[in-house]
């Protein structure tokens, strides 16, 4: 079955870049997503990448996909205190409707 | 913007009670989902529905049931609440029918934090 893994915690200084990593096992993934969850809130879609792409940039966010290694990363440039949150990666495999989520990475931005 | 609304942000119930969690979306989405979120376990899918009156079991359906009588509303039911069902419950919706390969991100509500005493 499909499995998505992330590291639990990342600490970064304000103004530095953050890189959040994710690995997945299902080679038939079609879309991969990054969600952000702020305290007490639901998940907010940040960005996504289609599986035939290597990179996608959206303002401060850069998504890199290494399909051979089944590795996805989210880079946040010029990290701000408002970026402190839990970040989830998720994969949608083949043509199914379901997403499989990683366990989430808690990002703490220090001033 | 897609709006997914969960009826309660916080709920406290007693063991053995029948509990209803309600979710409504306003974008005419075909698919709706119920997850629970627990520390260290991420999001786990309980049930989902891809059409009115249709339901599919997710990864952890035991102790839960669902109802989808109208397209915009998806209800999660705890038949007899137990303390191990204390959790954050998240509802989501997405566009599209099964088999479609287009991008179908899920849009989430703000969650219901349920405590079973």
């Amino acid at each position: 079955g499909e499995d998505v893994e992330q590291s639990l915690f990342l600490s970064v200084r304000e103004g530095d870049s953050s890189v959040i990593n994710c690995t997945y096992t299902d080679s038939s993934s079609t879309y991969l997503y990054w969600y952000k969850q702020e305290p007490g809130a639901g998940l907010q879609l940040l960005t996504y990448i289609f599986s035939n792409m290597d990179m996608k940039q959206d303002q401060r966010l850069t998504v890199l996909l290494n399909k051979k290694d089944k590795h996805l990363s989210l880079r946040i440039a010029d990290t701000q205190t408002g970026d402190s949150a839990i970040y989830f990666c998720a994969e949608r495999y083949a043509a199914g409707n379901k997403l499989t989520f990683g366990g989430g990475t808690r990002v703490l931005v220090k001033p | 913007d897609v709006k997914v609304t969960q009826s309660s942000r916080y709920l406290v119930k007693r063991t053995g009670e029948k509990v209803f969690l309600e979710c409504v979306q306003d974008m005419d989405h075909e698919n709706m989902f119920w997850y629970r979120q627990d520390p260290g376990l991420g999001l786990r899918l309980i049930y989902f529905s891809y059409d009115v009156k249709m339901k599919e079991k997710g990864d952890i359906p035991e102790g839960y049931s669902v109802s989808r009588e109208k397209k915009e509303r998806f209800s999660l039911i705890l038949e007899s609440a137990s303390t191990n069902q204390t959790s954050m419950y998240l509802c989501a919706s997405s566009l599209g029918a099964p088999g479609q390969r287009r991008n179908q991100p899920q849009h989430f509500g703000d969650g219901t934090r349920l405590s079973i005493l």
Side-chain angles (χ1 to χ4, degrees), chain B residues 96-113:
Chain B
Q100 291 184 355
R101 299 187 76 87
R102 60 180 169 165
N103 186 17
Q104 298 176 352
Q106 291 182 15
H107 301 269
F108 284 80
D110 286 335
T112 296
R113 190 166 290 282

Side-chain angles (χ1 to χ4, degrees), chain B residues 40-55:
Chain B
L41 297 176
L43 273 72
R44 293 181 291 168
L45 182 64
I46 305 171
Y47 266 97
F48 68 102
S49 167
Y50 55 86
D51 202 353
V52 175
K53 297 193 186 296
M54 305 299 288
K55 60 183 180 184

Side-chain angles (χ1 to χ4, degrees), chain B residues 54-72:
Chain B
M54 305 299 288
K55 60 183 180 184
E56 294 276 348
K57 290 181 180 179
D59 300 318
I60 51 163
E62 296 79 18
Y64 302 94
S65 62
V66 289
S67 172
R68 188 138 182 232
E69 295 297 317
K70 293 184 178 180
K71 193 175 184 181
E72 66 271 19

Side-chain angles (χ1 to χ4, degrees), chain B:
Chain B
D1 275 357
V2 177
K3 184 70 175 173
V4 179
T5 304
Q6 294 183 231
S7 53
S8 305
R9 291 298 302 274
Y10 302 94
L11 208 52
V12 180
K13 296 290 182 181
R14 296 206 173 275
T15 304
E17 279 192 72
K18 191 169 185 176
V19 181
F20 292 85
L21 301 183
E22 305 287 346
C23 176
V24 175
Q25 49 92 7
D26 66 357
M27 285 303 292
D28 203 34
H29 282 174
E30 288 85 357
N31 309 310
M32 296 188 75
F33 306 82
W34 274 107
Y35 295 88
R36 62 177 284 176
Q37 182 181 10
D38 300 289
L41 297 176
L43 273 72
R44 293 181 291 168
L45 182 64
I46 305 171
Y47 266 97
F48 68 102
S49 167
Y50 55 86
D51 202 353
V52 175
K53 297 193 186 296
M54 305 299 288
K55 60 183 180 184
E56 294 276 348
K57 290 181 180 179
D59 300 318
I60 51 163
E62 296 79 18
Y64 302 94
S65 62
V66 289
S67 172
R68 188 138 182 232
E69 295 297 317
K70 293 184 178 180
K71 193 175 184 181
E72 66 271 19
R73 185 179 296 271
F74 193 35
S75 303
L76 179 69
I77 304 155
L78 285 66
E79 297 290 344
S80 177
S82 62
T83 54
N84 64 10
Q85 292 178 309
T86 291
S87 186
M88 169 75 120
Y89 289 87
L90 291 165
C91 174
S93 71
S94 72
L95 189 65
Q100 291 184 355
R101 299 187 76 87
R102 60 180 169 165
N103 186 17
Q104 298 176 352
Q106 291 182 15
H107 301 269
F108 284 80
D110 286 335
T112 296
R113 190 166 290 282
L114 175 64
S115 296
I116 306 296
L117 304 179

Side-chain angles (χ1 to χ4, degrees), chain A residues 48-110:
Chain A
Y48 65 91
I49 189 167
F50 187 51
S51 58
N52 69 353
M53 298 168 64
D54 298 324
M55 185 182 88
K56 180 179 180 182
Q57 186 150 5
D58 184 359
Q59 299 181 340
R60 291 192 298 124
L61 305 178
T62 304
V63 180
L64 294 177
L65 176 61
N66 181 331
K67 203 170 180 184
K68 175 176 168 289
D69 294 339
K70 300 189 184 69
H71 182 266
L72 180 73
S73 67
L74 174 69
R75 178 176 180 271
I76 306 173
D78 186 26
T79 311
Q80 304 297 307
T81 53
D83 295 325
S84 290
I86 303 175
Y87 291 80
F88 291 91
C89 66
E91 63 164 353
R92 177 180 169 226
Y93 65 101
N97 288 351
K98 297 190 296 181
L99 298 183
T100 300
F101 286 83
T105 300
R106 185 177 293 274
V107 173
L108 177 64
V109 181
K110 296 181 179 178

